[in-house]
Amino acid sequence: KAGVTQTPRYLIKTRGQQVTLSCSPISGHRSVSWYQQTPGQGLQFLFEYFSETQRNKGNFPGRFSGRQFSNSRSEMNVSTLELGDSALYLCASSLGSLTYEQYFGPGTRLTVT
Amino acid sequence: QQQVKQSPQSLIVQKGGISIINCAYENTAFDYFPWYQQFPGKGPALLIAIRPDVSEKKEGRFTISFNKSAKQFSLHIMDSQPGDSATYFCAAGADYKLSFGAGTTVTVRA
């Protein structure tokens, strides 16, 4: 089975711009989670979607949003980028329901200048 | 506020030795405890996981020990190999989300 894929892999944006990141889960997985990884804060949960519904959201400002499509693919959007948004954004998929077995993609490295 | 505390921050072990990483949590709602391995430039890879009704789980050279009353769990890497050199994260799951520890960088010296 193909793993979790994320596009693009690398992105450079300027402060104030917005960005959209994409995630395709493992085939058959219906849950998609997003995490932000930085050297200072580590891995932090952004949000989780299952069957197009957000089931949980982390402690991030409203500039961070996401959605999930009927084919389970997901996108996250960050508006009005700040320097502190520079990070590795990781997507993870799981079967959903009660399982927490989350499988991560390679991430999108976002640099804000 | 870190919900899962992980130690040590880094460790160096000789080839063939045992690496031990410890994690502690407070939230009793956590019901799933995985460990992830991450290499530079890669996403975290699920290594092994345990539920709180089990005290120990072993998969190959990796063993999780879980102490529910102490709210602690640990990862033991037996017969450590240079290829095990990576960053290891513990995590705890509840409400469809994982809370991660800060990570431990393991270096295995040949």
Side-chain angles (χ1 to χ4, degrees):
Chain A
K1 254 186 193 176
V4 177
T5 57
Q6 293 187 245
T7 56
R9 291 294 312 279
Y10 303 91
L11 208 47
I12 299 175
K13 289 287 187 178
T14 304
R15 266 181 307 175
Q17 288 186 315
Q18 75 164 17
V19 67
T20 299
L21 311 182
S22 182
C23 171
S24 292
I26 293 170
S27 177
H29 284 193
R30 296 171 64 191
S31 167
V32 172
S33 300
W34 290 90
Y35 295 83
Q36 180 196 64
Q37 186 174 28
T38 60
Q41 299 298 317
L43 276 152
Q44 295 196 79
F45 172 78
L46 280 156
F47 25 66
E48 189 264 359
Y49 289 89
F50 178 79
S51 292
E52 302 177 68
T53 299
Q54 186 183 88
R55 295 193 296 190
N56 202 345
K57 187 180 190 305
N59 190 23
F60 278 83
R63 300 184 297 106
F64 292 81
S65 63
R67 60 178 177 168
Q68 186 181 34
F69 302 96
S70 57
N71 61 358
S72 295
R73 194 177 66 84
S74 178
E75 288 181 347
M76 68 162 281
N77 183 276
V78 188
S79 62
T80 320
L81 284 165
E82 300 177 0
L83 294 179
D85 297 333
S86 294
L88 181 67
Y89 289 88
L90 292 158
C91 168
S93 77
S94 71
L95 286 170
S97 63
L98 296 177
T99 184
Y100 289 111
E101 286 187 4
Q102 295 188 13
Y103 298 89
F104 283 83
T108 294
R109 172 72 63 186
L110 172 64
T111 302
V112 182
T113 62
Chain B
Q1 184 181 345
Q2 202 87 32
Q3 290 205 54
V4 181
K5 290 183 168 41
Q6 183 172 346
S7 63
Q9 188 173 7
S10 63
L11 68 90
I12 298 173
V13 63
Q14 293 297 317
K15 181 182 174 182
I18 302 173
S19 302
I20 302 174
I21 306 170
N22 300 298
C23 285
Y25 65 97
E26 286 298 323
N27 187 352
T28 54
F30 289 137
D31 62 357
Y32 174 73
F33 302 88
W35 285 87
Y36 283 86
Q37 178 191 58
Q38 187 176 29
F39 294 104
K42 305 286 188 183
L46 179 62
L47 263 182
I48 185 172
I50 200 167
R51 298 273 179 189
D53 53 346
V54 177
S55 61
E56 186 175 281
K57 183 174 181 180
K58 183 177 179 179
E59 288 184 4
R61 296 184 294 109
F62 300 93
T63 299
I64 298 179
S65 296
F66 186 83
N67 186 328
K68 188 174 180 179
S69 60
K71 288 186 277 187
Q72 295 175 346
F73 58 111
S74 61
L75 176 70
H76 294 226
I77 307 173
M78 315 299 285
D79 186 27
S80 296
Q81 300 297 311
D84 296 333
S85 296
T87 300
Y88 293 80
F89 294 93
C90 63
D95 297 330
Y96 313 113
K97 80 176 224 186
L98 293 177
S99 298
F100 284 84
T104 297
T105 301
V106 173
T107 302
V108 182
R109 293 267 163 85

